[in-house]
Amino acid sequence: NKELTGVPFIEIYEDFQCPACARFEAINGPYIEELITTKKAKVAFHMLSFLGGESQLAANASACSADQGKFLEFHKTLYANQPAENTGAWTSQYFATLGIGLGISSSDYDKCVQGQDYMGWVKNVAEEGSKRNINSTPTVLINGKEIDRNTAYNSLADFMLAVEKA
């Protein structure tokens, strides 16, 4: 897996339960996916869990889905079907069922979700985010510089411009 060079590095800090993150994904998600698939940007998703236990379960399950090569599908599907915060909708069973819907047939995924195999990683991401003073979601950095949340988060054109200028 050769390192991409000479392309913008986009970091997205988000919480799967955050309504503003779901809006950001709805507006900019397809473009970000296109940047990834065409290798026009390097993108790192940092899944935070400001909103508690269900966010942690979701972040853990997203890492499990990444092991199966299904992170982007998981990410898109979860935001498209986001329930209200901390309503108890997101359980290990929910994520197991979601995996089936995404075409994940490996029992390793279910074991990973049930065993919360990536909880250490989830906590490390939270610590790293707080060291970088990331205190709201979404927070998007391009080449280490935060983009204007008042424009680029709610406008695909403004977001595209921020990426092009990087």
Side-chain angles (χ1 to χ4, degrees):
N1 192 356
K2 221 175 90 188
E3 193 67 21
L4 283 180
T5 55
V7 296
F9 178 40
I10 303 170
E11 293 178 274
I12 303 169
Y13 284 87
E14 53 191 356
D15 183 320
F16 276 122
Q17 288 196 91
C18 144
C21 297
R23 260 195 318 280
F24 177 80
E25 164 64 19
I27 294 166
N28 298 305
Y31 173 63
I32 293 167
E33 251 185 82
E34 184 188 314
L35 290 172
I36 293 168
T37 55
T38 59
K39 297 183 171 25
K40 292 204 171 116
K42 199 167 92 175
V43 179
F45 293 92
H46 302 282
M47 302 319 303
L48 295 174
S49 40
F50 288 143
L51 297 169
E54 287 186 61
S55 295
Q56 288 182 325
L57 285 175
N60 176 75
S62 77
C64 299
S65 76
D67 285 347
Q68 304 299 321
K70 293 282 189 184
F71 175 81
L72 287 175
E73 295 89 334
F74 179 98
H75 182 267
K76 184 177 14 186
T77 304
L78 210 54
Y79 278 127
N81 300 287
Q82 185 186 65
E85 293 170 29
N86 293 312
T87 52
W90 285 352
T91 60
S92 292
Q93 185 53 54
Y94 174 89
F95 292 116
T97 306
L98 178 66
I100 295 164
L102 296 175
I104 297 172
S105 56
S106 170
S107 64
D108 291 348
Y109 170 79
D110 292 341
K111 286 185 196 129
C112 179
V113 168
Q114 296 289 347
Q116 300 185 4
D117 292 5
Y118 283 102
M119 240 358 130
W121 170 77
V122 170
K123 291 182 169 100
N124 288 343
V125 171
E127 283 169 24
E128 187 257 349
S130 94
K131 281 184 192 141
R132 289 181 82 180
N133 291 321
I134 307 294
N135 50 25
S136 65
T137 51
T139 294
V140 181
L141 308 167
I142 301 179
N143 296 334
K145 186 178 183 307
E146 189 175 341
I147 61 172
D148 185 347
R149 70 178 55 248
N150 298 315
T151 56
Y153 287 18
N154 300 306
S155 159
L156 178 57
D158 287 338
F159 181 72
M160 290 170 89
L161 193 63
V163 171
E164 284 164 22
K165 287 197 307 201

